[in-house]
Amino acid sequence: MAGLVATSLTAAGASADPPEQIVNGTFDSGHAPWWGTSNIALDSSGGQLCADIPGGTVNPWDVIIGQDNVPLVAGETYQYSFKASATPDKVGKALIQLPVDPWTQFLAANPLMTGTATVYSYTFTAPVSLPNAQVAFQIGGSASPWRICLDDISLKGGAAPEVYQPDTGPRVRVNQVGYLTKGPKGATVVTEATGALPWQLKNSGGTVVASGSTTPRGVDASSGQNVQSIDFSSYAVAGTGYTLVADGETSRPFDLAGDLYAGLRDDALKFFYPQRSGIAISDALRPGYGRAAGHVGVAPNTGDVSVPCQPGVCDYRLDVSGGWYDAGDHGKYVVNGGISVFQLLNEFERGKYAASGQAPFTDGQLNTPESGNGVPDILDEARWEMEFLLKMQVPAGNPLAGMAHHKIHDSEWTGLPLLPDRDDKLRELHPPSTAATLNLAATAAQAARVYASYDPAFAARSLAAARTAYAAALAHPAIYASTSDGTGGGTYDDVNVTDEFYWAAAELFLTTGENQYRDAVTASPLHTSDIWSAGGFGWQGVAALGRIDLATLPSALPNRAAVRASVVAGADKYLADGVAHPYGVPYAPANNSYDWGSNSGIVNNMIVLAAAYDISGQRKYAEGVARGMDYIMGRNALNMSYVTGYGEVNSRNQHSRWYAHSLNPDLPNPPKGTLSGGPNSSIQDPVAQQKLAGCTGQFCYIDSIDSWSTNELTINWNAPLAWIASFLAGQGDGAAPAAAKCKVTYTKYTQWGDGFNAQVTLKNTGTTSVNGWTLRWSFLGGQSIKSSWDAGFAQSGAQVSASNLAYNKVIAPGQTVTFGFVGNPATGANPNPALFTLNGAACS
């Protein structure tokens, strides 16, 4: 390539034909200076460059055809084209990149090559001047051999800059799944008009069923669009295929129904089974997603049944098999796993105190290998991760015993696509951290009470691990994950762990009732401070998890009313953000800078709104949740649903090594119910930087598998999605629930070592007689009924059912029945139940 000089056509003028930057791209006389990796032989005897690609390679870069010393000029826009064929069909990677680590990609394309020679053409603008860029075709990673042929490879400057314009479809933006029949219904119109516009709601037959005028909202800062809003909440007739018409545009179709979100709840939870490590995924349970077990010590895997530490960290090995793969890679992280497993267990626990959270989780619901074991599937799924978290604890007798290793992942980055069982990189345990240790303490304490009525031995093991972890964290309160430990996996660094201490103390107090943990909670500055950040809570900020649990789960916490009020106050902030936003989203980040995983921040803000509804009973908070879901499901600037398989246009190419259909047609897209991370103003990946430079807020997103900064999938994004879908599924058709027609007084008279005595008085506060009754409640932990009087008792897990006997079947208005029982308090706290339902309806 010596003697070839890059020239800026902008400076030199574009009248002449732009100079060719590629040497010998037509292969008319051999193929020098093209090169290939040592595992292929290049053949240009037929006037094109061909090679037989071996099977059995792992990463795309295991086989490369390339040319070095290609000059680029900063700011110049280039057109890159080539002719390619493949037998059989294959997806390859066409790259123009930095020739050394970190291999920064200036152009990355994934052409699907077939048996017919096809011309592929791309444009890109060079961000830097470089005398020695590399053109590379990465074509490894195939299990079976194949053949590639290339010809007419060309790179020329002077191309017109390609301006990425997302296809946003009709300018009327709606929730593409639908709206609760009697719930709030809002839409947004993108328009140049500044005055109010007429709108029409049409049913599936095209008949206008409602109409009105829009409300001008001006320029939306989060999108840069001039917008107006539509409120059609007053129309409440269930149906399918509705559309909104305004300003000459017709929205995408949507439904009005009362059963919109139960399917999403289940699908969002079913996401976790195919994320499992250490087990084969059954195609019978997840058609199209079956695969071999990953990281079970079978070659080429090197983990995870006996994993060493990074050099110098420890001298032991641990079995850390199992758990969930964190995201689109094969790493497993305690801090991300912690918040994820917590939110699944918290979703289940909500049924113990929330009238709209009753009994949505059953055995067999999620089609997992454990279905049929008598335990709700959501608990089986969460336990798969919890068992992994317990394995990450440093064993007794070793330095830092009781702490938790921060993470385990490959020693090097791997490429896409790559099934877990084909990962051949060394797996390593990374140093323990205080943050990881406190995540273990919090989740293990939570697990101890949740599983106590299903598996007392596991509950006891979890509580012991939680106590040990908390004590270890107190002894080592400032061991932080390194910000530079990011080779082969994310750093997940966090240098402020006051929130983790608060959360762990809260969970230990709720489970045990012990004064040492209560005192740690009340002494924390986070117990009374404003913890409700605009961007939402997440793995790096978990104080909200402790605060919400303290506010909603029963306990003897001093001044608990103030804690409950603080959650409502936080929800008021998010509710105001949603009302002020033209797209109705409860998210107002500083400087309109959308965070990495902004969608998870939005959904977590919705959890605060949901908690406020559970505490106060005020419908405005539940309606705020519903409006927030409108944004996730399509009422946004891009007019797309961020949940795979939901809505007419939805994210389906999230960054993943095995849900990689766009890179390998033999692999699937992510499962239905997968949430994309969403807009990220920092656009850290090359694809986003190339396509989205200068983007505004909501437009900082692209549905590309290579856009790991805007389009990732993760366990800690699907966990809150499942939580919120469950909440909305419990809202029925969106109407306010009927007033309570019963009142319960629950009194514990005495408690001793292995027993307690309780009396329950049930009053009919309605206007008609109750003729036959069943009163239900749930204990917080492992409490159980030993004997009883004046009612028939049954217990399943923590849930108790007390039913009438023949002589107290009828309760007249204003009258009461009283019954009682002797219970086993198990171990730990034994607070009064937080919710009673009479024949399925909540009592006051």
Side-chain angles (χ1 to χ4, degrees):
M1 194 66 185
L4 183 59
V5 178
T7 305
S8 170
L9 294 183
T10 303
S15 57
D17 188 43
E20 177 61 67
Q21 306 294 85
I22 298 292
V23 175
N24 190 19
T26 57
F27 311 106
D28 294 329
S29 55
H31 53 261
W34 292 91
W35 53 267
T37 47
S38 60
N39 50 359
I40 60 173
L42 300 182
D43 175 16
S44 57
S45 60
Q48 57 182 341
L49 183 62
C50 297
D52 291 313
I53 312 305
T57 58
V58 175
N59 296 295
W61 54 78
D62 290 343
V63 184
I64 303 176
I65 295 173
Q67 182 174 129
D68 296 327
N69 299 316
V70 177
L72 299 176
V73 173
E76 188 68 43
T77 299
Y78 294 89
Q79 180 166 337
Y80 176 52
S81 62
F82 56 89
K83 184 184 294 184
S85 63
T87 309
D89 297 357
K90 287 290 176 182
V91 175
K93 282 186 173 292
L95 305 173
I96 298 177
Q97 62 185 11
L98 195 69
V100 294
D101 193 33
W103 308 99
T104 304
Q105 297 170 0
F106 311 127
L107 171 71
N110 303 296
L112 172 60
M113 300 172 288
T114 69
T116 301
T118 302
V119 175
Y120 303 87
S121 183
Y122 310 93
T123 60
F124 72 100
T125 300
V128 297
S129 292
L130 201 66
N132 61 337
Q134 182 182 85
V135 171
F137 294 91
Q138 292 184 355
I139 43 183
S142 174
S144 57
W146 59 290
R147 183 173 177 81
I148 186 173
C149 289
L150 300 166
D151 203 358
D152 298 334
I153 304 173
S154 173
L155 177 67
K156 292 183 179 182
E162 180 180 344
V163 178
Y164 173 71
Q165 290 287 349
D167 181 3
T168 57
R171 291 183 287 105
V172 182
R173 311 291 160 79
V174 298
N175 180 329
Q176 295 174 29
V177 172
Y179 302 85
L180 299 178
T181 308
K182 297 181 180 179
K185 306 174 190 71
T188 301
V189 184
V190 179
T191 178
E192 295 180 358
T194 56
L197 298 167
W199 60 263
Q200 295 179 331
L201 175 67
K202 295 183 177 182
N203 63 20
S204 59
T207 301
V208 176
V209 294
S211 61
S213 297
T214 62
T215 300
R217 302 295 295 270
V219 176
D220 167 39
S222 73
S223 64
Q225 301 166 316
N226 189 74
V227 296
Q228 302 195 25
S229 58
I230 295 173
D231 187 334
F232 59 109
S233 302
S234 60
Y235 186 80
V237 178
T240 62
Y242 285 100
T243 55
L244 273 172
V245 180
D247 201 25
E249 297 275 314
T250 300
S251 74
R252 290 180 171 134
F254 57 88
D255 298 341
L256 301 184
D259 57 352
L260 289 172
Y261 292 108
L264 175 60
R265 174 199 62 208
D266 292 354
D267 286 337
L269 289 170
K270 287 178 179 179
F271 162 89
F272 290 91
Y273 170 52
Q275 284 291 119
R276 287 190 190 184
S277 175
I279 186 174
I281 305 305
S282 168
D283 202 68
L285 296 178
R286 294 293 185 277
Y289 291 89
R291 59 170 173 81
H295 301 99
V296 290
V298 176
N301 288 167
T302 64
D304 286 346
V305 295
S306 179
V307 179
C309 285
Q310 286 180 308
V313 172
C314 74
D315 59 3
Y316 52 80
R317 289 173 172 260
L318 291 182
D319 176 357
V320 290
S321 56
W324 299 318
Y325 295 119
D326 173 67
D329 60 356
H330 302 134
K332 299 186 290 187
Y333 308 85
V334 172
V335 295
N336 227 32
I339 189 173
S340 302
V341 75
F342 170 84
Q343 289 190 302
L344 263 64
L345 295 179
N346 184 258
E347 183 180 347
F348 177 82
E349 277 198 293
R350 182 174 171 268
K352 298 183 179 185
Y353 63 79
S356 65
Q358 292 305 290
F361 303 112
T362 61
D363 181 22
Q365 175 181 11
L366 303 180
N367 251 6
T368 68
E370 299 82 12
S371 293
N373 65 355
V375 177
D377 285 356
I378 189 174
L379 298 188
D380 288 325
E381 193 57 69
R383 181 167 176 170
W384 189 264
E385 177 71 2
M386 192 67 239
E387 292 277 13
F388 159 72
L389 298 180
L390 292 168
K391 292 178 180 180
M392 292 290 279
Q393 193 163 32
V394 177
N398 292 283
L400 301 179
M403 298 285 283
H405 287 276
H406 196 70
K407 57 181 181 171
I408 176 231
H409 57 64
D410 294 337
S411 60
E412 305 173 50
W413 285 107
T414 56
L416 283 72
L418 181 63
L419 287 164
D421 65 291
R422 301 193 65 210
D423 175 19
D424 63 353
K425 301 302 181 186
L426 174 67
R427 305 281 277 181
E428 293 176 323
L429 288 166
H430 292 247
S433 72
T434 306
T437 303
L438 291 166
N439 268 262
L440 173 60
T443 54
Q446 179 193 33
R449 63 178 183 264
V450 172
Y451 291 96
S453 56
Y454 295 99
D455 188 339
F458 175 65
R461 178 160 61 94
S462 296
L463 183 56
R467 291 183 185 276
T468 299
Y470 189 77
L474 289 175
H476 305 283
I479 298 179
Y480 305 127
S482 171
T483 57
S484 61
D485 187 14
T487 300
T491 59
Y492 286 94
D493 54 288
D494 185 359
V495 296
N496 181 355
V497 295
T498 56
D499 52 318
E500 281 85 0
F501 271 109
Y502 176 67
W503 175 34
E507 297 306 326
L508 278 159
F509 168 67
L510 288 167
T511 297
T512 68
E514 293 175 9
N515 292 347
Q516 61 172 320
Y517 303 121
R518 178 203 64 198
D519 293 345
V521 165
T522 57
S524 171
L526 293 173
H527 188 51
T528 54
S529 62
D530 183 355
I531 59 173
W532 314 107
S533 67
F537 62 83
W539 66 266
Q540 205 171 32
V542 294
L545 305 182
R547 183 81 68 86
I548 291 173
D549 259 9
L550 291 168
T552 53
L553 292 174
S555 75
L557 181 71
N559 201 16
R560 182 168 174 260
V563 177
R564 290 167 67 83
S566 75
V567 175
V568 175
D572 284 336
K573 292 172 58 176
Y574 298 136
L575 191 64
D577 289 340
V579 170
H581 202 292
Y583 282 100
V585 58
Y587 183 71
N591 302 316
N592 194 43
S593 181
Y594 274 53
D595 300 307
W596 188 320
S598 61
N599 282 343
S600 71
I602 291 166
V603 177
N604 282 331
N605 285 351
M606 291 157 61
I607 287 177
V608 181
L609 290 169
Y613 172 68
D614 289 337
I615 291 168
S616 71
Q618 295 184 53
R619 290 301 299 172
K620 63 181 181 180
Y621 299 113
E623 290 175 354
V625 174
R627 292 187 189 277
M629 187 61 93
D630 293 346
Y631 170 89
I632 296 295
M633 293 299 191
R635 186 189 175 189
N636 53 57
L638 290 170
N639 199 12
M640 68 182 301
S641 165
Y642 288 113
V643 181
T644 305
Y646 282 82
E648 187 175 85
V649 176
N650 56 78
S651 300
R652 59 182 61 246
N653 296 301
Q654 290 94 320
H655 180 77
S656 171
R657 280 162 176 73
W658 59 102
Y659 308 134
H661 183 75
S662 62
L663 301 180
N664 181 348
D666 295 332
L667 296 175
N669 289 111
K672 185 179 181 182
T674 300
L675 178 65
S676 170
N680 172 11
S681 296
S682 297
I683 55 172
Q684 292 94 334
D685 65 82
V687 169
Q689 290 168 350
Q690 181 69 33
K691 301 287 189 181
L692 306 176
C695 60
T696 298
Q698 291 193 53
F699 283 103
C700 298
Y701 171 82
I702 184 169
D703 185 24
S704 166
I705 194 169
D706 289 319
S707 184
W708 40 264
S709 68
T710 78
N711 200 34
E712 195 174 20
L713 58 82
T714 75
I715 56 175
N716 65 306
W717 297 344
N718 250 68
L721 175 67
W723 199 108
I724 283 298
S726 177
F727 175 86
L728 288 171
Q731 301 307 308
D733 63 4
K741 297 180 180 180
C742 51
K743 180 179 180 180
V744 172
T745 303
Y746 179 98
T747 307
K748 285 199 304 286
Y749 286 105
T750 55
Q751 182 164 328
W752 57 98
D754 64 348
F756 68 98
N757 184 316
Q759 179 175 285
V760 182
T761 299
L762 168 62
K763 182 178 182 179
N764 179 357
T765 59
T767 57
T768 58
S769 293
V770 175
N771 189 357
W773 53 267
T774 296
L775 189 72
R776 289 192 174 91
W777 70 86
S778 289
F779 290 125
L780 182 66
Q783 298 88 342
S784 59
I785 305 295
K786 298 170 68 173
S787 61
S788 63
W789 55 92
D790 292 334
F793 279 81
Q795 185 169 355
S796 175
Q799 187 181 80
V800 176
S801 298
S803 298
N804 65 271
L805 300 178
Y807 57 84
N808 60 6
K809 179 179 180 181
V810 177
I811 313 174
Q815 298 301 302
T816 64
V817 294
T818 298
F819 56 90
F821 63 90
V822 173
N824 183 344
T827 57
N830 183 21
N832 290 354
L835 174 72
F836 295 86
T837 61
L838 173 62
N839 296 339
C843 297
S844 62

